[in-house]
Amino acid sequence: MRALWLEDRKLSLREIDVPTPPPGEVLVRVLAAGICNTDIELTRGYYPYAGVPGHEFVGEVDGKRVVGEINAVCHQCEACRAGRTTHCANRTVLGIINRNGAFAEYLSIPRENLHEVPDSVPTEEAVFVEPLAAALEIQQQVRITPDDRVLVVGQGKLGTLVAQTLALTGCRLTVAGRHDAPAAKSFDIAVECSGNPEGFAKARAALRARGTLIMKSTYAGELTVNASSLVVDEITLIGSRCGPFEPAIALLAERKIDVRPLLHATYALDDALAAFEHAQRPGVRKIMLRNE
Ligand SMILES: [Zn+2]
Ligand SMILES: [Zn+2]
């Protein structure tokens, strides 16, 4: 089958074998997959991964359209037994850690990871379920009320989804780009979605004492932080990653979140290299690869 391959930070199109699903897994025909900033960070060395990248996908199994959670877990380690399965010590992660991902004609994934896509949600919108679920993880971690002053830093794909989901809480929401002037108010909660040290500094500076800083983006390389100021101001720092799929699917089905303005362009899998090049241009939103 056709697949995009990442090795030594370089992407190439290859022919590889169609995966043979081990027990508990199923073969999914990939219909569409989105390019995420994490995929771009992988090509810059965020994590030393060799294989097929891609973790935001819509596929087809037994004539049904599905989306899939990206962590494949063991159910036996201490984290799994305590219910923290996305932190399984033995996990593989679709297109990120030791598991071939979605920029290919087929992928293999545990059946338990799959969620059916309702007929009312088109494939090009369902591609956003995984990042939308990640945006919703914030509300699993922090209770957000209409009284809370919340700043979202980053107006890219993730920042936009985070802002849209937070708006549904009725909180007092401000969205800023990382280049905008410093936010004047002192915020209760700041969400860093820019993946950039400048954005982190802006989110940190906007917080009141005992405020909460939520880090939603991964960074290639290290981040310099004024640790003393976090101590003195008693800031709570929360890392935030994968979130719940069912509420994300429901928000799309109920049309409470509109992801259509986020879709920038669609490419065939064979044009994946051009698609990646396009995805890295400034101001570009979601680039999608389609197999149909
Ligand atoms: Zn992603
Ligand atoms: Zn485990």
Side-chain angles (χ1 to χ4, degrees):
M1 67 172 184
R2 218 52 182 146
L4 184 66
W5 190 264
L6 174 68
E7 198 167 327
D8 295 331
R9 303 185 187 188
K10 288 207 172 50
L11 292 167
S12 59
L13 278 163
R14 294 192 178 182
E15 286 294 325
I16 62 170
D17 290 340
V18 173
T20 308
E25 299 204 9
V26 282
L27 188 67
V28 177
R29 186 170 77 87
V30 180
L31 299 174
I35 298 177
C36 167
N37 279 354
T38 300
D39 302 319
I40 293 167
E41 296 291 349
L42 284 176
T43 68
R44 295 173 183 163
Y46 149 66
Y47 182 85
Y49 173 70
V52 179
H55 56 272
E56 302 174 0
F57 74 93
V58 180
E60 190 219 65
V61 179
D62 305 332
K64 291 190 174 116
R65 284 182 313 144
V66 292
V67 289
E69 297 190 39
I70 70 176
N71 300 286
V73 306
C74 77
H75 293 295
Q76 276 154 30
C77 72
E78 193 181 325
C80 280
R81 281 187 279 114
R84 299 186 300 269
T85 52
T86 58
H87 295 277
C88 168
N90 306 310
R91 75 183 188 274
T92 59
V93 185
L94 189 71
I96 301 174
I97 301 176
N98 295 331
R99 171 174 289 271
N100 281 338
F103 298 141
E105 290 177 67
Y106 294 90
L107 61 83
S108 174
I109 195 167
R111 186 177 282 278
E112 66 177 5
N113 287 39
L114 296 178
H115 298 260
E116 196 174 339
V117 177
D119 288 341
S120 61
V121 181
T123 296
E124 63 269 24
E125 295 180 29
V127 163
F128 288 88
V129 167
E130 195 277 335
L132 187 55
L136 289 172
E137 175 69 0
I138 293 169
Q139 294 176 53
Q140 305 277 311
Q141 295 171 296
V142 182
R143 205 173 83 89
I144 295 173
T145 71
D147 290 331
D148 286 322
R149 291 159 301 180
V150 182
L151 175 68
V152 174
V153 178
Q155 292 171 300
K157 302 176 284 282
L158 184 61
T160 303
L161 290 174
V162 165
Q164 284 198 51
T165 53
L166 290 176
L168 296 171
T169 68
C171 70
R172 291 147 73 186
L173 184 66
T174 304
V175 180
R178 64 184 163 93
H179 298 302
D180 294 349
K185 269 186 248 152
S186 57
F187 288 86
D188 305 297
I189 297 163
V191 188
E192 204 305 275
C193 302
S194 75
N196 183 286
E198 250 180 282
F200 177 88
K202 163 169 281 208
R204 163 66 191 96
L207 283 174
R208 65 162 167 82
R210 290 195 180 157
T212 300
L213 179 49
I214 299 169
M215 299 179 65
K216 213 48 245 190
S217 285
T218 50
Y219 298 79
E222 307 283 311
L223 184 65
T224 305
V225 182
N226 181 336
S228 293
S229 87
L230 298 177
V231 174
V232 171
D233 287 343
E234 297 190 323
I235 298 299
T236 301
L237 200 60
I238 297 179
S240 182
R241 180 168 42 92
C242 297
F245 266 48
E246 286 300 328
I249 293 168
L251 286 178
L252 290 175
E254 292 160 14
R255 304 228 145 267
K256 288 192 176 146
I257 297 275
D258 186 6
V259 293
R260 286 169 300 179
L262 283 174
L263 181 58
H264 197 101
T266 301
Y267 286 78
L269 179 61
D270 273 334
D271 299 322
L273 295 176
F276 259 76
E277 193 273 317
H278 192 173
Q280 294 179 66
R281 287 184 221 154
V284 170
R285 302 201 142 187
K286 186 65 75 190
I287 301 288
M288 194 174 295
L289 295 173
R290 279 197 94 121
N291 274 333
E292 293 157 298

